Amino acid sequence: PPAATLKTDDPFVGMKIGPYRVIEEIGHGGMGTVFRAVRADDAYRKQVAIKVVRRGMDHDFVLQRFRHERQIMATLEHPNIAHLLDGGATEDGLPYFVMEYVQKGEPIDSYCDREKLTTKQRLELFCTVCSAVQSAHERQIIHRDIKPGNILINSRGEPKLLDFGIAKILDPELSTNTINATATVLRLMTPEYASPEQVRGEPVTPASDVYSLGVLLYELLSGHRPYRLKSRSAHEIAQVICESEPERPSTAVNRTELVTRGTLPPITLTPEAVGRARQLTPEDLRRTLCGDLDNIILMAMRKEPSRRYGSVGQFSEDIRRHLEGLPVVARKDTFRYRAGKFVRRNKVGVAAAAVVLLSLVGGVVATVWQARRATEQARVAAQERDRAERRFNDVRQLSNALLTDIAPKIERLQGSTEARQALVFQSLKYLDSLAQEAGGDLLLQSELASAYEKVGDLQGNPRKPNLGDFAGAIASYEKANHIRRNLPDTAEHERLLAENVRGLADIRLTSYDIKGALQDYAGASKIYENLLTKNPESHDLQMAYLKTKLELAEVYGQNNYQFDMAASLAREIVAALERLDPNRQETRLLLATAYSQLGHSLSWDNKQSEAETEMAKATALADKLAAENPNDMHVQQTVYRVYMSASIINELINDELSLQFAHKALRIVERSVERDAADVQAKQNLARILARLGMIYTNLKRVSEAIAALEKAEKFSLEILEREPMNRGYQHNLAVIYTHFGLAKYAQRDWQGALKAYQKTADYFETFAQTDEKNLAGRRDLALALRYIGFTYTKLGDKKKAREHFQKALELLNQLKAQNSLSGWDQLTVDELQGILQSL
């Protein structure tokens, strides 16, 4: 490093570590410091690099990680990987290891630009790096942190791969100290170079290093990084790395942007500057990258690991083929492409061969004509068969593209409802036809199940923008369920079946099929529980199981009014979560939700004191999570729900406290809307909390404030419905807002205003009941709206109309009772209506 960056004020400088004396600090990270040192006994002159655990960081995790890195480096022997020379512990017990010192080491990107290496020279240097990474992979080691700063170029122009601090050992005999790949490594990775599976916390394979090498090559050749992160929030990192597609390197070279590299001051990177560093004009560089190199880099960076190069060696081999003018794997292998490559490699030979070829054509034509005539019928038959198979595969790929790539991109676009309806119709038509031909093709059957589920999501997944077709969504999910139950009994198939059943439960609950939702949540829980008995150490399975069980508790409490059952389940979940790692954010989020659910269930079970104790735990944890993760939308969404629940359990008991929690929830969603005005979920949450404020203000007799809040809620809900006019969830929320309007007007003794608002509510719920006979929620909500209308007509003195509405409400609730879908709370409403009708 430059002299100005060297540090000599560290306490280790001048100290003796083993047989070496520390000269200066040459680098440091969050947990270790690297020093340049020399032999202290003058046995021979040799400079080395010594990595020592930083003081204050010598706790179990860091020591484990440090020993893990030392173990990995001891197994690696390659000229382009820094060698481990020695190791031990300092006098005060800090572990260290001694490794090869990279003389005048410079990060690979800085070296290439300073030396103005050509594209060819950069590719050759990169292939040397690939050789080092492939050598590590052959020893079952994945680096997981490939980036320019971990590849230093020495004084001889040779690359050296460094820093195996978060590497993963695949060999089970060597991996006893391998650190957990989820939460720990995610905090340590470099997001700009991390693969999508690393960002999502999924298991990594050598394909993850292929991806990081692709990002590195993108930067070496184009001068730009493929992704631009505006912040370091987990939400943005996941969204950018996992969902957005990078532009082609040949396009990126035309970009002008302000970039920052490490501690260096920001610079403006222009096409001219990038070209000069590669001894080309911007246009020449663009032409150089366009074609093979674009395709090679983007193939290495594909989102799905299975679609990248099969190994680093294959990646490097494709670059070698490009340098030699041969066809590459990343380019579609057409005759025109292969012929063009051949001609460019052999221009003189091709010209001579062309002369000979023309002289032979006359004699060959007659013979070929006779042969072709004899085999024409067989050829046509084979062609038709091949064409049919290609057509089948093309349609199969097109279907996957429509559901996987296109549908998610249009689901949030305003005015896309008709397009999504057409997509659902055509997809179902194709899938039903394909299902008849799937036969014993297990891969095709698995694809079919996933496709049916994606169609079901478009139709009526309540967690996503949907068309409000819950009956259709259930039918699609059930088709997928039937397929999944007939697939081989593997852990992966069982996990996907559990997700399917859980999705079915979500949709059934939205359509108020409480009995069906309870059965499905319980079924999904059982599948996860069985999987856990086979793989008890799986954190992902444990969390999926507990989340599903908590959803089951929520249905028992909030939808089926079995509050004792809900509380019992919530206590079990809380106890399980309290035994898990308290430092995992996912655990803390679910624990806050579980405390909240327990408090909610206890409150409705007339155990208010216990409820407030549990809710206090939930809100205290939510406060901490909110403060620690101000920009993480997933965290903020959970905190919002906890505050909403706290507001609900204090309603009509302590309305001032209920108001305080409602305001805390309001501040969260207001920040979300300010941060992203296009976030439909944030606007929907804002409409909900404003509706809740309207109800609380009504309870507090602050009716003018209630109406002001409800008017804002109505405005946001109508805006959302303009984008999603068929979304039943959004329609339902607007109907609830009109109910709150009715209550506020009723409190003002504005009977006509209340009647008008209640009638709007009833109109929505009547539409739900009529358009979907299986949607029991529509009938229940319509009954409650008619009850409100009946009360209002009583105030207006019109007993006849009041009786009509009370009678119709009772009939609807009795229909639910006949289908065993009447909750305990609803039974109280039935008893009330019967008494009212007798009095009228």
Side-chain angles (χ1 to χ4, degrees), residues 203-413:
V204 298
T205 65
S208 298
D209 280 355
V210 170
Y211 180 94
S212 299
L213 285 167
V215 177
L216 174 65
L217 185 59
Y218 189 113
E219 189 172 1
L220 291 180
L221 298 190
S222 74
H224 296 268
R225 289 177 180 169
Y227 304 111
R228 286 166 282 184
L229 298 172
K230 297 178 182 178
S231 71
R232 309 292 287 185
S233 73
H235 173 75
E236 190 202 2
I237 290 170
Q239 186 176 49
V240 171
I241 303 300
C242 301
E243 297 179 13
S244 65
E245 293 292 339
E247 61 184 342
R248 289 181 170 272
S250 60
T251 303
V253 298
N254 296 322
R255 198 194 301 162
T256 297
E257 66 176 336
L258 188 68
V259 299
T260 302
R261 296 288 188 267
T263 59
L264 298 174
I267 61 168
T268 300
L269 202 59
T270 64
E272 292 72 24
V274 172
R276 280 196 302 273
R278 290 152 183 78
Q279 302 182 41
L280 289 172
T281 66
E283 183 57 26
D284 287 341
L285 178 58
R286 188 194 68 76
R287 281 197 294 267
T288 300
L289 301 182
C290 189
D292 281 355
L293 291 176
D294 273 345
N295 292 328
I296 288 171
I297 293 169
L298 294 180
M299 180 171 175
M301 291 177 59
R302 285 173 177 168
K303 305 295 184 190
E304 308 87 350
S306 61
R307 296 183 64 231
R308 300 174 200 149
Y309 287 104
S311 67
V312 173
Q314 190 183 68
F315 185 10
S316 179
E317 172 65 13
D318 229 12
I319 294 171
R320 184 193 66 77
R321 293 181 67 82
H322 166 77
L323 290 173
E324 294 178 6
L326 297 168
V328 300
V329 173
R331 185 75 175 267
K332 188 177 180 181
D333 193 15
T334 63
F335 172 78
R336 180 179 178 182
Y337 171 64
R338 295 181 68 88
K341 284 285 185 181
F342 181 81
V343 169
R344 282 192 288 275
R345 290 198 312 274
N346 305 278
K347 293 179 181 176
V348 175
V350 168
V355 175
V356 176
L357 181 63
L358 289 172
S359 66
L360 293 174
V361 167
V364 171
V365 165
T367 304
V368 171
W369 180 77
Q370 291 175 5
R372 284 185 62 188
R373 187 172 183 181
T375 61
E376 184 66 20
Q377 288 183 335
R379 185 188 67 79
V380 169
Q383 247 183 4
E384 288 299 321
R385 186 174 60 252
D386 291 343
R387 186 179 295 115
E389 186 175 345
R390 285 197 304 273
R391 187 183 299 117
F392 176 83
N393 287 326
D394 287 346
V395 174
R396 181 173 169 180
Q397 291 173 11
L398 176 60
S399 174
N400 282 332
L402 284 171
L403 294 172
T404 303
D405 298 331
I406 298 173
K409 289 180 173 63
I410 68 170
E411 68 181 11
R412 295 187 183 277
L413 292 178

Side-chain angles (χ1 to χ4, degrees), residues 12 15-17 52-53 55 58 89-96:
F12 273 109
M15 282 181 56
K16 186 179 175 184
I17 298 180
V52 187
V53 168
R55 285 193 177 92
D58 49 332
T90 63
E91 292 181 357
D92 53 353
L94 294 176
Y96 71 87

